[in-house]
Amino acid sequence: AQAESTSINLKKSDAPFTNAVVKVFVTSNEMDYYRPWQSKGINASSGSGVIIAGNRILTNAHVAQYILIADSDPRISCLVRTGSPAKSTHSVSSVFISPSWIRQHAQYVNASAPETGEADYALVKIVPTSSGKTLPAASISFNTPAIGASVRATAYPADILGAQGTNAPLVLQSENLTVTDAFSFGGAL
């Protein structure tokens, strides 16, 4: 949905939902095959997500595509960062990426700025830790908000990573939004 926004500060009353918002952070270390002792550098991709039932995270397909690759490539690390500032707490593995998104965007898999578009959603699984620590799930609504309705968006904006990259102290941000338009995946609203 498109929306007009107003920035706000997070409050303690936001905790039931904001505690379930995570940053999915994927890094890859590409090696220089002509100088195998040397790395070409670390590449990173990230996106916000929300923990839902079943120890799953609802996130974007353009982020989860790297998690799918990581399942068979040990040079790729996939972590969940939580809190504000965010700290790495769990790793993740892929569960589901929209097949229509894969068909439409497979050619962009190695792009530095991947295409997004319709059906840009995925589910990833939180890998249990040896300590058994779990992360809280949000209860979500599948009701489509009406045009003009007030909603709240909470995320870890990627634009703040800057030069610090993987070491950036990510801070959770939230905004009140007014829905100005709504889209569906082929269904009527």
Side-chain angles (χ1 to χ4, degrees):
Q2 292 181 343
E4 298 170 355
S5 68
T6 305
S7 286
I8 60 167
N9 292 324
L10 296 174
K11 303 173 196 144
K12 286 187 180 184
S13 61
D14 295 330
F17 180 74
T18 57
N19 288 340
V21 176
V22 298
K23 184 71 162 186
V24 179
F25 206 81
V26 182
T27 57
S28 64
N29 188 2
E30 187 178 352
M31 299 309 292
D32 184 335
Y33 292 105
Y34 295 106
R35 292 172 286 189
W37 60 88
Q38 191 167 335
S39 168
K40 287 185 178 179
I42 294 177
N43 296 317
S45 176
S46 66
S48 295
V50 63
I51 301 169
I52 59 174
N55 226 18
R56 305 286 193 259
I57 298 171
L58 177 62
T59 189
N60 297 103
H62 70 269
V63 174
Q65 69 179 339
Y66 298 104
I67 298 168
L68 183 64
I69 295 167
D71 287 347
S72 62
D73 188 339
R75 296 172 299 167
I76 300 176
S77 168
C78 306
L79 300 171
V80 171
R81 297 175 87 180
T82 61
S84 193
K87 293 179 176 34
S88 296
T89 60
H90 289 73
S91 59
V92 292
S93 62
S94 63
V95 172
F96 176 84
I97 298 176
S98 163
S100 61
W101 188 90
I102 291 173
R103 282 191 297 279
Q104 294 172 13
H105 299 92
Q107 70 270 24
Y108 302 113
V109 121
N110 289 320
S112 59
E115 294 288 321
T116 57
E118 286 189 16
D120 187 14
Y121 61 91
L123 292 173
V124 296
K125 181 179 180 174
I126 300 169
V127 176
T129 64
S130 59
S131 71
K133 180 183 176 194
T134 60
L135 297 171
S139 61
I140 57 175
S141 169
F142 292 98
N143 298 324
T144 302
I147 304 300
S150 239
V151 295
R152 177 174 255 167
T154 304
Y156 292 97
D159 58 338
I160 63 169
L161 290 177
Q164 292 180 333
T166 60
N167 296 319
L170 299 172
V171 177
L172 198 57
Q173 295 184 11
S174 190
E175 291 190 31
N176 282 334
L177 305 172
T178 301
V179 177
T180 60
D181 203 351
F183 304 92
S184 72
F185 298 109
L189 291 177

